[in-house]
Amino acid sequence: MVDKIATLQDGLGYSFNEEKLLKAALTHRSSRGENNERLEFLGDSIINFVIAEELYHRQPKAKEGELSRFRSSLVKGETLAEIAKELDIGSYLRLGSGELKTGGHRRSSILADALEAVIAAIYLDADFEVCRNCILTWFAERLDNLASVTSLKDPKTRLQEHLQSKRLELPRYDVLSVEGEAHNQSFTVECVVEALDKQAQGQGASRRKAEQAAAKKLLEAIKK
């Protein structure tokens, strides 16, 4: 385990003085003993501040709403999970038997939480500046290649703004079906714009995701 921890620290770009902090950050609540939930709570606040501060300096002309969209795109769960995968954090997670059997080390939510916990562990083991430098190193490529503000808007927002610009009524979202068990559901939603006599269906693991998928399809159909 010692050699594995050393390999992970090389990937993180930081060597811990107290390795117990790193081990705690890698321990999911499904495992016995101290877990990473408290560290995750702290890490979430740290990463939001660091990215917000960096965007404030990098985007001097961006308005508050635009800065919020940039930050959301960078600190959302999917992005954090991607970075955790790049750092190979999943290979070092301590999981309970149930999570091990179901591939918890690959689950995006668990990876994102673990990354936040590791951030907090670095902060507690060193100081804010060291932690900040690690975060900015991990996010460097994404910060250098930020998408346009318009592309960061979710499909529902873009569809709404498009319809408002044409002075048309807002779309209606109808849930057509909900399938699967409570912990693994699949929603099918239809987005309808009556003024244009157009509709599109979308699927997702939540009603919100299904609505976004439907809105995206409808927006693409309208623009064609």
Side-chain angles (χ1 to χ4, degrees), residues 1 5 8-9 12 16 18-43 89 92-95 110-111 113-122 124-125:
M1 182 67 179
I5 287 293
L8 173 59
Q9 291 181 113
L12 294 175
F16 279 79
E18 293 188 46
E19 287 189 358
K20 66 179 182 180
L21 280 168
L22 177 57
K23 292 177 181 178
L26 298 171
T27 305
H28 186 256
R29 65 177 178 270
S30 62
S31 183
R32 292 181 179 179
E34 182 183 5
N35 61 55
N36 62 9
E37 288 186 319
R38 282 171 54 82
L39 288 170
E40 174 201 336
F41 165 78
L42 179 59
I89 286 176
Y92 305 90
L93 290 175
R94 294 178 168 187
L95 304 169
I110 291 178
L111 288 170
D113 292 346
L115 181 67
E116 291 177 336
V118 168
I119 287 169
I122 292 175
L124 294 173
D125 191 65

Side-chain angles (χ1 to χ4, degrees), residues 76-220:
K76 64 183 180 181
E78 294 94 325
T79 306
L80 297 183
E82 288 173 4
I83 292 175
K85 289 176 184 177
E86 292 167 7
L87 297 171
D88 198 25
I89 286 176
S91 298
Y92 305 90
L93 290 175
R94 294 178 168 187
L95 304 169
S97 58
E99 288 293 350
L100 281 172
K101 291 177 181 177
T102 57
H105 62 286
R106 295 189 299 271
R107 187 166 298 131
S108 293
S109 59
I110 291 178
L111 288 170
D113 292 346
L115 181 67
E116 291 177 336
V118 168
I119 287 169
I122 292 175
Y123 167 72
L124 294 173
D125 191 65
D127 56 37
F128 178 76
E129 194 58 31
V130 170
C131 182
R132 177 180 179 275
N133 288 337
C134 286
I135 293 171
L136 294 181
T137 297
W138 303 339
F139 279 82
E141 185 175 347
R142 290 171 174 82
L143 283 164
D144 291 338
N145 297 286
L146 282 173
S148 67
V149 172
T150 300
S151 66
L152 290 177
K153 294 179 181 178
D154 63 77
K156 286 183 66 175
T157 300
R158 285 188 279 126
L159 176 59
Q160 178 177 315
E161 290 181 351
H162 176 79
L163 295 175
Q164 287 177 329
S165 70
K166 304 292 184 182
R167 299 181 181 276
L168 298 174
E169 290 185 8
L170 298 182
R172 187 182 76 247
Y173 295 92
D174 300 323
V175 177
L176 300 183
S177 67
V178 181
E179 301 176 351
E181 301 296 327
H183 66 282
N184 187 31
Q185 291 184 323
S186 176
F187 291 75
T188 299
V189 170
E190 184 173 62
C191 177
V192 181
V193 177
E194 294 182 350
L196 298 176
D197 193 25
K198 289 186 178 295
Q199 56 276 323
Q201 293 182 13
Q203 288 78 37
S206 67
R207 177 172 179 170
R208 177 181 174 278
K209 290 182 178 179
E211 288 177 349
Q212 297 286 10
K216 182 179 180 182
K217 287 183 180 179
L218 189 53
L219 189 59
E220 290 171 351

